[in-house]
C-alpha cells in the first residue's frame, strides 16, 4: 500500500500564511475568520486505503462496457493534423485513479499516464487541497513582479529536492539558495510548457555568444560559432532528441531543415548529433568543435529517450560526457519533462549522479492539473534579464500548490515507487527473454518503459492489440529512423496488481 499523507493547507503552506488570508477574508466580509481557518485546517487524506483498493478492484473491468456510449457528432474546430489524429472513442467522459472511461463507454487503463502527465492518475484526493485553496480565496493569477507566497515556497522546495536537501533542513536550504557556486542549481524560472522551459535554456546558452539586447556586455564567446550537441539517431541523423516545439528546438531535431542549413551556412549556429551511449564519439566531437571558429554552445539531452524508442542513456556515458563538458566549458541541459516525478527523489539526474547546468521539469510535477513547467539553473547560466524568458501565467499560485502536493506525496512514497518501477522493469525484461523471436529487448528504466520489436509493422500491430485490450500505449510512427518500439508509462500510483495486470496482458497478447 502507498503511504497516504493527511495534511491541510496550513500544514503545507504554514499557518502564518493561512492566518493572513483568514484575516483578509474577515475584513472583506466574504467569510469569517473562523470559517476561513476551518477550510485552511481541514486535513485531506491524499490517497485513502479504500481508493487504493478500488483502483485494484477496477482491473477486472478493464475493456468492458461501463456505460452506454456517449453518442455525439461534435467535431470541434481543430486543424487538419489534429482532426486526423483524434480518436473520440478514447476521449474521456471521466476517470478514476489509473483509469479513464471513454466516450465509447469502455473502461481504459491509462498505461501511458495520459501521455506522461498524470503520475497520480485521475481524481487524486490530495488535489482537493487546490479546491480548498479556491474556497479560501487564494488567487491563482499573479504576475512575474508579484510572484505569490505559494510560488516562492514551491521554488524553495523544488531547489531543495534538486539538491537532495530535506525540507526540514531550512539552514541547508538557505545556504544553497544564497550560493554563487556555479555548480549549484538554485535559480527557478516559472513557465507554462516544457517547450518554453527548454527554449529558456537554449537562449541562455546562446547568450554566451550573442547579446539579448544592445545594453548587455560583450558575450564571453562573441564571434565564435555556437555548436549545439544533441542526441543523434541510429542512422547518424538528428531525430532522436526532442526539446519542445519552439523553432530553434525543432531545428535541433530535423524540422525546418532550410532554416537549420542557412543558420549553419551563415555561421549563426550549428547542430551536431552525438551517438547514443558512445563516449568516444562525444570526445572526438567536443574536441573538434572547440577549435578554430567553433565553440560548443551546450549539450541537451533526455535520460530516457521516450520520443525515440524509450532508449536509456547509460550512467557511464552521461557522467563521462558531463566531465568533458566541464573541461570544455559547455553547459549541460538535462530535459526531465518526461522523467521528472517518476523516480524516487523526483529527479532522475540525481540517481545518475549528474550536476547539470539546467534541469527542465514539468508534466509530472503538477500532475495534469495545470500546465506548469520550470527551468532550474545556476549562477553561471543566470544570463537573461526578466524579459528574456517569461510568460504572464507562469506564476500561477494554484499550479505551484499542485507542485507542492505532488512533491509531498513523492517524498512519502519514493521507495515504494522505485520498488514498483523495478517490478515493471524486471517483468518486461522477462517477457522479452520469453519471446526472442518477437521482441528485440525491453528498454527504458522502471516505469518509463519500451518494448522493441523487429519491425515498425509488428510494433504497430501490437499497439493495436493493446488498444483492443483497452490499455494505452503508443508506437512512434512519425520518425523515419526510430526504433520500432511500444512505449508505456503507468502512473506511479500503479500498484503491484496493476503492474502485474499490464505484464500479464502483454504476455497473453504476445503468446496468441
Amino acid at each position: 500500500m502507498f503511504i497516504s499523507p493527511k495534511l491541510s493547507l496550513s500544514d503545507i503552506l504554514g499557518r502564518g500564511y493561512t492566518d493572513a488570508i483568514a484575516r483578509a477574508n474577515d475584513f472583506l466580509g466574504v467569510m469569517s475568520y473562523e470559517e476561513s481557518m476551518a477550510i485552511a485546517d481541514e486535513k485531506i487524506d491524499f490517497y485513502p486505503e479504500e481508493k487504493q483498493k478500488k483502483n485494484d478492484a477496477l482491473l477486472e473491468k478493464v475493456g468492458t462496457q461501463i456505460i452506454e456510449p456517449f453518442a455525439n457528432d461534435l467535431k470541434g474546430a481543430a486543424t487538419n493534423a489534429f482532426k486526423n489524429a483524434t480518436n473520440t472513442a478514447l476521449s474521456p467522459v471521466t476517470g478514476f485513479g489509473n483509469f479513464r472511461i471513454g466516450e465509447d463507454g469502455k473502461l481504459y487503463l491509462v498505461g501511458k499516464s495520459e501521455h506522461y502527465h498524470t503520475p497520480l492518475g485521475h481524481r487524486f484526493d490530495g488535489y482537493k487541497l487546490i479546491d480548498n485553496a479556491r474556497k479560501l480565496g487564494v488567487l491563482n493569477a499573479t504576475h512575474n513582479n508579484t510572484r505569490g507566497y505559494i510560488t516562492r515556497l514551491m521554488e524553495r522546495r523544488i531547489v531543495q529536492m534538486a539538491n537532495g536537501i530535506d525540507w526540514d533542513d531550512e539552514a541547508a536550504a538557505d545556504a544553497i539558495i544564497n550560493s554563487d557556486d556555479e555548480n549549484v542549481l538554485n535559480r527557478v524560472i516559472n513557465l507554462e510548457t516544457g517547450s518554453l522551459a527548454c527554449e529558456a535554456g537554449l537562449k541562455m546558452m546562446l547568450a554566451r555568444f550573442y547579446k539579448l539586447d544592445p545594453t548587455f556586455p560583450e558575450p564571453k564567446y562573441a564571434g565564435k560559432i555556437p555548436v549545439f550537441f544533441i542526441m543523434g539517431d541510429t542512422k547518424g541523423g538528428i531525430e532522436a532528441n526532442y526539446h519542445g516545439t519552439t523553432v530553434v528546438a525543432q531545428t535541433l531535431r530535423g524540422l525546418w531543415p532550410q532554416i537549420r542549413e542557412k543558420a549553419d551556412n551563415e555561421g549563426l549556429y550549428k547542430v551536431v548529433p552525438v551517438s547514443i551511449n558512445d563516449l568516444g564519439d562525444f570526445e572526438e566531437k567536443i574536441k573538434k568543435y572547440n577549435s578554430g571558429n567553433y565553440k560548443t554552445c551546450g549539450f541537451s539531452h533526455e535520460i530516457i529517450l521516450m520520443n525515440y524508442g524509450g532508449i536509456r542513456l547509460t550512467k557511464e556515458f552521461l557522467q563521462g560526457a558531463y566531465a568533458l563538458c566541464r573541461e570544455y566549458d559547455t553547459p549541460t541541459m538535462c530535459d526531465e519533462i518526461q522523467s521528472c516525478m517518476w523516480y524516487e527523489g523526483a529527479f532522475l539526474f540525481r540517481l545518475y549522479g549528474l550536476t547539470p547546468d539546467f534541469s527542465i521539469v514539468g508534466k509530472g510535477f503538477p500532475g495534469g492539473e495545470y500546465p506548469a513547467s520550470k527551468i532550474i539553473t545556476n549562477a553561471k547560466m543566470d544570463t537573461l534579464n526578466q524579459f528574456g524568458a517569461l510568460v504572464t501565467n507562469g506564476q500561477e499560485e494554484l499550479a505551484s500548490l499542485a507542485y507542492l502536493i505532488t512533491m509531498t506525496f513523492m517524498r512519502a512514497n519514493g521507495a515504494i515507487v522505485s520498488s514498483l518501477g523495478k517490478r515493471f522493469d524486471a517483468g518486461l525484461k522477462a517477457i522479452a527473454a520469453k519471446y526472442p523471436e518477437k521482441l528485440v529487448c525491453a528498454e527504458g528504466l522502471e516505469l518509463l518503459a519500451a518494448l522493441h520489436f523487429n519491425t515498425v509493422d509488428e510494433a504497430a500491430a501490437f499497439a493495436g492489440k493493446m488498444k483492443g485490450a483497452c490499455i494505452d500505449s503508443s508506437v512512434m510512427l512519425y520518425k523515419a529512423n526510430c526504433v520500432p518500439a511500444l512505449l508505456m508509462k503507468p502512473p506511479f500510483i500503479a500498484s503491484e496488481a496493476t503492474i502485474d495486470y499490464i505484464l500479464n496482458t502483454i504476455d497473453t497478447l504476445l503468446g496468441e
Side-chain angles (χ1 to χ4, degrees):
M1 298 291 285
F2 288 91
I3 298 167
S4 181
K6 298 178 180 62
L7 299 170
S8 67
L9 287 172
S10 294
D11 293 328
I12 290 182
L13 304 177
R15 195 172 180 85
Y17 173 69
T18 55
D19 178 78
I21 296 177
R23 286 185 282 109
N25 284 341
D26 194 58
F27 168 79
L28 292 170
V30 297
M31 194 184 304
S32 72
Y33 176 87
E34 291 74 21
E35 289 172 321
S36 293
M37 291 311 298
I39 295 170
D41 292 340
E42 182 189 2
K43 302 278 188 183
I44 297 295
D45 193 346
F46 277 33
Y47 192 24
E49 185 175 330
E50 61 270 20
K51 286 212 166 183
Q52 297 186 48
K53 290 178 178 178
K54 186 174 184 178
N55 244 325
D56 287 349
L58 284 171
L59 287 168
E60 65 181 28
K61 299 292 185 181
V62 172
T64 63
Q65 198 79 35
I66 300 299
I67 60 172
E68 289 296 315
F70 170 44
N72 68 92
D73 58 2
L74 184 64
K75 302 298 183 184
T79 62
N80 290 335
F82 278 89
K83 280 190 287 189
N84 293 337
T86 298
N87 186 336
T88 56
L90 304 183
S91 299
V93 170
T94 189
F96 179 92
N98 299 321
F99 307 94
R100 175 199 338 128
I101 297 174
E103 288 188 19
D104 61 2
K106 292 182 179 180
L107 186 69
Y108 290 85
L109 179 57
V110 291
K112 223 174 51 158
S113 298
E114 307 295 15
H115 203 71
Y116 313 148
H117 61 285
T118 56
L120 296 171
H122 294 295
R123 294 190 182 182
F124 180 67
D125 277 13
Y127 295 135
K128 288 181 179 179
L129 287 176
I130 299 174
D131 300 328
N132 280 3
R134 283 191 180 279
K135 293 177 188 175
L136 192 61
V138 171
L139 302 181
N140 196 36
T142 66
H143 187 52
N144 299 281
N145 298 338
T146 56
R147 288 165 32 256
Y149 173 84
I150 301 177
T151 295
R152 301 196 309 274
L153 179 62
M154 176 277 301
E155 292 169 356
R156 182 180 180 87
R157 297 305 186 215
I158 204 169
V159 164
Q160 286 175 289
M161 292 194 84
N163 288 279
I165 298 171
D166 189 84
W167 284 10
D168 295 327
D169 193 344
E170 300 292 6
D174 288 337
I176 286 290
I177 289 172
N178 295 323
S179 173
D180 288 324
D181 186 331
E182 292 188 347
N183 296 312
V184 172
L185 290 171
N186 61 0
R187 321 279 166 104
V188 180
I189 303 177
N190 303 297
L191 299 156
E192 284 216 293
T193 72
S195 294
L196 291 177
C198 287
E199 185 193 51
L202 299 178
K203 286 190 289 191
M204 290 182 197
M205 292 175 182
L206 287 172
R208 305 208 302 166
F209 295 79
Y210 303 109
K211 294 181 181 182
L212 175 66
D213 71 37
T215 67
F216 273 50
E218 195 70 4
K220 183 176 183 179
Y221 294 111
K224 293 285 188 178
I225 299 172
V227 180
F228 288 106
F229 274 15
I230 47 84
M231 296 313 305
D233 59 46
T234 56
K235 303 295 185 182
I238 61 174
E239 293 188 6
N241 72 97
Y242 186 100
H243 300 295
T245 57
T246 57
V247 174
V248 172
Q250 286 188 332
T251 66
L252 302 185
R253 65 182 181 100
L255 301 181
W256 307 103
Q258 292 169 310
I259 293 177
R260 185 182 72 257
E261 289 165 11
K262 190 167 186 177
D264 193 343
N265 293 337
E266 298 295 328
L268 183 64
Y269 67 87
K270 186 177 183 64
V271 182
V272 172
V274 294
S275 299
I276 294 172
N277 291 328
D278 186 341
L279 189 57
D281 177 71
F282 194 99
E283 184 171 12
E284 177 185 333
K285 288 175 177 173
I286 203 167
K287 288 178 179 177
K288 176 180 178 179
Y289 290 105
N290 281 282
S291 63
N293 206 31
Y294 288 120
K295 174 72 189 80
T296 44
C297 177
F299 171 40
S300 303
H301 70 93
E302 297 172 286
I303 297 178
I304 312 295
L305 308 181
M306 291 301 285
N307 283 282
Y308 196 70
I311 294 173
R312 178 174 66 89
L313 300 185
T314 65
K315 186 181 295 187
E316 294 74 23
F317 168 72
L318 284 176
Q319 288 181 348
Y322 271 51
L324 288 166
C325 285
R326 284 193 296 274
E327 181 180 345
Y328 287 92
D329 190 23
T330 302
T332 52
M333 184 171 86
C334 184
D335 182 350
E336 289 228 37
I337 289 292
Q338 300 271 22
S339 56
C340 66
M341 201 52 72
W342 256 267
Y343 297 93
E344 185 173 8
F347 293 90
L348 184 52
F349 76 76
R350 287 196 54 78
L351 299 184
Y352 263 58
L354 302 175
T355 306
D357 292 293
F358 304 102
S359 176
I360 312 296
V361 298
K363 282 190 188 287
F365 274 88
E369 295 295 306
Y370 292 92
S373 293
K374 319 289 175 189
I375 181 168
I376 314 169
T377 189
N378 53 33
K380 177 175 69 176
M381 300 310 300
D382 188 356
T383 56
L384 301 180
N385 62 23
Q386 184 181 4
F387 295 97
L390 86 168
V391 293
T392 298
N393 298 320
Q395 331 294 326
E396 292 179 334
E397 288 284 82
L398 298 181
S400 296
L401 179 57
Y403 263 66
L404 291 168
I405 293 165
T406 313
M407 287 191 281
T408 296
F409 190 78
M410 171 56 85
R411 288 183 70 226
N413 289 281
I416 297 172
V417 171
S418 180
S419 174
L420 291 165
K422 288 178 172 60
R423 185 186 188 93
F424 193 46
D425 194 287
L428 290 175
K429 285 182 169 60
I431 288 172
K434 183 177 178 180
Y435 298 100
E437 74 287 357
K438 297 182 179 181
L439 296 174
V440 176
C441 67
E443 252 291 2
L445 181 67
E446 298 182 12
L447 292 175
L448 276 69
L451 288 174
H452 287 187
F453 287 76
N454 293 295
T455 69
V456 171
D457 288 343
E458 289 174 312
F462 192 77
K465 289 187 175 184
M466 290 286 280
K467 178 182 173 183
C470 291
I471 300 178
D472 281 345
S473 63
S474 67
V475 175
M476 206 157 293
L477 302 177
Y478 63 88
K479 288 189 176 182
N481 297 323
C482 191
V483 180
L486 181 91
L487 302 173
M488 291 165 289
K489 189 177 184 183
F492 76 61
I493 59 166
S495 63
E496 289 187 1
T498 304
I499 296 296
D500 292 346
Y501 181 90
I502 297 172
L503 294 172
N504 290 335
T505 301
I506 292 171
D507 191 355
T508 300
L509 293 176
L510 284 169
E512 287 179 348

